[in-house]
């Protein structure tokens, strides 16, 4: 059997299509929406019109045999602009959560409502983090209680750092049902639009990805029909029974979502890193100092060589993790965390070096590497900080319960 790292013709076609949209629609609008700090609805609508924001795209590329389809979509879109790309593709995190453990009936009813239609695109939001529970998902205090008399779930709590929080049509919320069981006692719930007691809290003003809406959401005696627990109550009760018996669990809801999406976050970071590298390379080939192109100077050329090497290295790790996830290969050495760690820290490194190559110009908003540098930092923070990735990897490698 031959081995090849050459993407399939289908992946190449999707790459070129998304790249064209990112270059012609996303990039020209990037600076404006970064300054406005608002959700770029006109760009989302354009994406929907061409089929780039749709359930069909999510389904077909998530099922692409090599696992590279969706990774390619994310890298190219984030090459265009991270804030706008997250506004367009952020729904994918909530969709991945539902797809991971949802029943066929739940998928059929709620996935279409996450994306909406071509004429009226909608958003979805995955809500796990809390003011006191970011990286420590087991510390979630949002509570869900089952009311047997009415067959309803009653949920109270506050979620924070929610992408599309409060403006989404469908919210996916992680809550603790049995606090004494820690993360094993958690479940994930579907919050339909217009649910009484559900509201947006403060909207955050951020350092980067400013075209993406990030906010708190508040659940005040939210009552949901019993069938809106993802996966169904029967399966949840079975999982709780196993936990009480001390049997090993297949993993709790929030972490399952993160495991599935970490390679995708790595692809996001790669897009930003590649964009900064390409801009710095072009600048170094044009800019003159002391009568020579600055790319002729070894100091600059070595920076570019290191930037390119780290980008390509990180991409190989991201592709491996994506292939493993798509083909149900277990991340025995935390390969998903490895890919996310390498790519996110590469994005910070490369964008920092890009500013250095541009000098004073790179530090101004007249040049896009300044915005890319601000955007890059988030990848070392969300969906698990770099420190958490190292902890996950260390536990997997050593088999020890490191703290």
């Amino acid at each position: 059997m031959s081995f090849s790292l050459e993407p399939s013709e289908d992946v190449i076609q999707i790459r070129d299509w998304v790249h064209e949209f990112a270059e012609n629609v996303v990039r020209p609008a990037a600076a404006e929406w970064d300054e406005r700090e608002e959700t770029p609805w006109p760009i989302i609508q354009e994406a929907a019109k061409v089929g780039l924001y749709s359930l069909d795209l999510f389904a077909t590329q998530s099922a692409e045999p090599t696992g590279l389809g969706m990774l390619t979509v994310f890298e190219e879109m984030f090459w265009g602009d991270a804030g706008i790309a997250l506004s367009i593709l952020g729904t994918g995190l909530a969709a991945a959560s539902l797809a991971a453990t949802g029943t066929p009936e739940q998928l059929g009813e709620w996935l279409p409502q996450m994306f909406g239609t071509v004429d009226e695109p909608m958003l979805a939001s995955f809500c796990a983090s809390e003011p006191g529970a970011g990286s420590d998902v087991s510390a979630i205090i949002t509570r869900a209680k089952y009311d047997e008399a009415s067959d309803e779930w009653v949920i109270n709590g506050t979620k924070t750092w929610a992408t599309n929080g409060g403006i989404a049509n469908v919210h996916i919320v992680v809550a603790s049902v049995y606090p004494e069981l820690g993360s094993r006692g958690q479940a994930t719930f579907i919050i339909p639009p217009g649910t009484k007691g559900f509201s947006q809290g403060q909207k955050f003003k951020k350092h980067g990805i400013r075209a993406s809406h990030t906010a708190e959401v508040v659940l005040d005696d939210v009552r949901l029909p019993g069938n809106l627990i993802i996966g169904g109550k029967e399966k949840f009760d079975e999982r709780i029974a196993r936990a009480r018996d001390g049997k090993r669990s297949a993993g709790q809801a929030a972490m399952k979502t993160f495991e599935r999406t970490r390679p995708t976050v790595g692809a996001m970071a790669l897009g930003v890193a590649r964009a900064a590298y390409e801009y710095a390379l072009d600048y170094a080939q044009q800019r003159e100092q002391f009568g020579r192109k600055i790319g002729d100077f070894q100091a600059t050329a070595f920076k570019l060589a290191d930037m390119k090497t780290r980008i390509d290295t990180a991409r190989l790790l991201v592709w491996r993790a994506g292939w493993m996830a798509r083909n149900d290969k277990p991340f025995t050495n935390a390969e998903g965390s490895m890919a996310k760690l390498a790519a996110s820290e590469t994005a910070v490194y490369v964008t920092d070096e890009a500013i250095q190559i541009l000098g004073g110009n790179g530090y101004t908003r007249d040049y896009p590497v300044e915005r890319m540098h601000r955007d890059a930092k988030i990848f070392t923070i969300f969906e698990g900080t770099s420190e958490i990735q190292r902890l996950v990897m260390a536990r997997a490698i050593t088999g020890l319960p490191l703290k």
Side-chain angles (χ1 to χ4, degrees):
M1 180 178 179
S2 62
F3 171 78
S4 175
L5 287 173
E6 183 68 26
S8 68
E9 187 61 35
D10 287 343
V11 171
I12 291 172
Q13 288 180 359
I14 193 91
R15 179 195 67 194
D16 294 346
W17 171 50
V18 178
H19 183 87
E20 181 180 2
F21 183 86
E23 184 174 32
N24 296 331
V25 180
V26 174
R27 276 203 167 179
E32 175 189 352
W33 291 98
D34 177 72
E35 290 290 340
R36 292 175 64 168
E37 298 191 55
E38 297 174 0
T39 301
W41 283 107
I43 311 299
I44 296 173
Q45 290 168 342
E46 287 298 313
K49 287 178 183 177
V50 301
L52 216 162
Y53 183 76
S54 69
L55 177 56
D56 286 343
L57 179 72
F58 173 81
T60 57
Q61 295 310 311
S62 294
E64 192 273 328
T66 66
L68 301 186
M70 191 58 75
L71 297 179
T72 299
V73 170
F74 275 80
E75 180 177 339
E76 295 303 327
M77 282 295 294
F78 279 73
W79 174 88
D81 176 68
I84 293 176
L86 192 57
S87 284
I88 294 173
L89 299 174
T91 290
L93 181 59
S97 175
L98 181 59
T101 55
T103 66
E105 293 76 18
Q106 289 171 337
L107 270 60
E109 180 174 1
W110 296 105
L111 279 177
Q113 294 191 50
M114 289 182 171
F115 292 91
T117 65
V118 171
D119 295 328
E120 189 178 0
M122 296 177 180
L123 304 174
S125 176
F126 180 71
C127 309
S129 295
E130 296 183 1
S135 296
D136 184 7
V137 178
S138 65
I140 284 175
I141 62 173
T142 294
R143 296 289 183 259
K145 295 183 179 180
Y146 181 62
D147 183 347
E148 291 191 22
S150 61
D151 185 27
E152 290 180 321
W153 292 96
V154 183
I155 307 179
N156 285 280
T158 298
K159 294 294 181 179
T160 194
W161 307 116
T163 298
N164 298 332
I167 66 171
N169 190 51
V170 178
H171 292 76
I172 304 296
V173 171
V174 180
S176 179
V177 182
Y178 297 102
E180 70 276 11
L181 295 176
S183 61
R184 293 182 299 171
Q186 294 172 359
T188 311
F189 299 88
I190 301 166
I191 311 295
T195 296
K196 185 178 180 181
F198 185 87
S199 63
Q200 179 184 314
Q202 68 167 316
K203 177 187 174 183
F204 295 105
K205 297 179 72 66
K206 306 187 299 296
H207 176 65
I209 55 167
R210 291 165 28 164
S212 172
H213 175 96
T214 309
E216 289 183 332
V217 294
V218 180
L219 300 96
D220 183 12
D221 279 337
V222 166
R223 301 186 73 90
L224 301 175
N227 63 358
L228 291 186
I229 179 172
I230 293 182
K233 189 173 184 301
E234 183 176 341
K235 284 191 176 180
F236 176 69
D237 289 341
E238 291 174 358
R239 178 159 62 86
I240 293 302
R242 289 196 302 271
R244 294 195 187 282
D245 289 341
K247 296 179 181 178
R248 187 177 180 85
S249 172
Q252 49 86 12
M255 293 312 298
K256 272 193 173 182
T257 298
F258 292 146
E259 287 167 8
R260 290 170 65 91
T261 58
R262 275 174 181 154
T264 303
V265 177
M268 298 177 190
L270 281 174
V272 176
R274 198 183 99 222
Y277 161 76
E278 290 176 0
Y279 196 93
L281 174 62
D282 183 67
Y283 186 90
Q285 292 170 331
Q286 303 298 324
R287 174 75 166 174
E288 291 190 3
Q289 289 285 282
F290 306 104
R292 298 168 60 187
K293 299 289 193 296
I294 65 171
D296 288 341
F297 293 102
Q298 190 178 83
T300 301
F302 279 14
K303 285 183 184 296
L304 291 165
D306 287 342
M307 292 157 75
K308 177 62 171 171
T309 298
R310 289 186 60 162
I311 290 169
D312 284 6
T313 301
R315 183 180 292 107
L316 288 173
L317 288 171
V318 168
W319 280 13
R320 179 183 68 171
W323 177 84
M324 291 176 70
R326 179 66 191 91
N327 291 279
D328 296 321
K329 303 292 184 182
F331 289 169
T332 54
N333 292 302
E335 287 85 355
S337 291
M338 196 182 300
K340 196 261 190 186
L341 174 68
S344 62
E345 296 203 341
T346 290
V348 173
Y349 166 81
V350 170
T351 55
D352 188 70
E353 291 288 70
I355 287 180
Q356 198 69 24
I357 291 172
L358 269 68
N361 285 334
Y363 199 66
T364 70
R365 294 194 179 183
D366 294 329
Y367 290 78
V369 293
E370 180 272 341
R371 183 181 68 253
M372 295 170 187
H373 186 260
R374 287 187 286 109
D375 291 342
K377 185 59 187 174
I378 191 60
F379 301 112
T380 67
I381 298 172
F382 73 359
E383 292 198 44
T385 63
S386 290
E387 291 75 19
I388 289 297
Q389 307 308 322
R390 288 185 169 93
L391 181 61
V392 171
M393 290 161 56
R395 285 174 173 171
I397 292 167
T398 66
L400 300 174
L402 300 174
K403 299 295 183 183

